[in-house]
Every structure is written in structure tokens, then in C-alpha cells.
Amino acid sequence: MSAQPQTQAPSRRRVWLRVFLLIPFIVLLYPPFYNSINPTFIDIPFFYWFPLAMIIVTAILTGVLYFLGA
């Protein structure tokens, strides 16, 4: 009989941590949420700087979740 590798199901904690990765994606899927000029940041309209900020937030969130073991 051959030994089969056992795969462990991800714990509930890990699943919930992965859900946090969906939040920036869902926010950016709905443009009316951030389709405005104000507030501006360094004379850049909100419509431009908000998605760029979400890229940075997503990268930080991905790094944190990686180190937490998700």
C-alpha cells in the first residue's frame, strides 16, 4: 500500500484572512464609489489617487497576510 500525502484543510482563521484580499478588489469594481474630483491630493483628483492608494494598501495587506501564514 502506498502512502498518500495528507493535505490539511485550511483553518477557518486562514480562510477569513484571505477574505481580506477581496475587499480592495470589490471596492475598485464599483467606480461610482470613487468617481469624484474632490478631495484632491496634491492637485490630483480623487478618481486617480484613490485606485493608486488601493494598490499600495493591497500590497501591504498581501505582505501582512503572507507573514501571518495565510
Side-chain angles (χ1 to χ4, degrees):
M1 201 179 236
S2 65
Q4 296 179 355
Q6 295 181 353
T7 58
Q8 296 179 353
S11 68
R12 287 186 181 261
R13 177 179 169 254
R14 288 183 179 182
V15 171
W16 280 106
L17 288 175
R18 291 178 186 163
V19 170
F20 284 118
L21 291 175
L22 292 175
I23 293 171
F25 178 72
I26 292 170
V27 168
L28 290 175
L29 279 178
Y30 189 64
F33 173 72
Y34 57 93
N35 187 14
S36 67
I37 294 175
N38 292 323
T40 59
F41 177 68
I42 314 173
D43 289 333
I44 301 172
F46 185 69
F47 185 77
Y48 292 115
W49 69 259
F50 180 74
L52 291 173
M54 290 303 290
I55 291 170
I56 295 169
V57 167
T58 304
I60 292 169
L61 182 62
T62 302
V64 168
L65 292 177
Y66 175 77
F67 285 114
L68 286 176

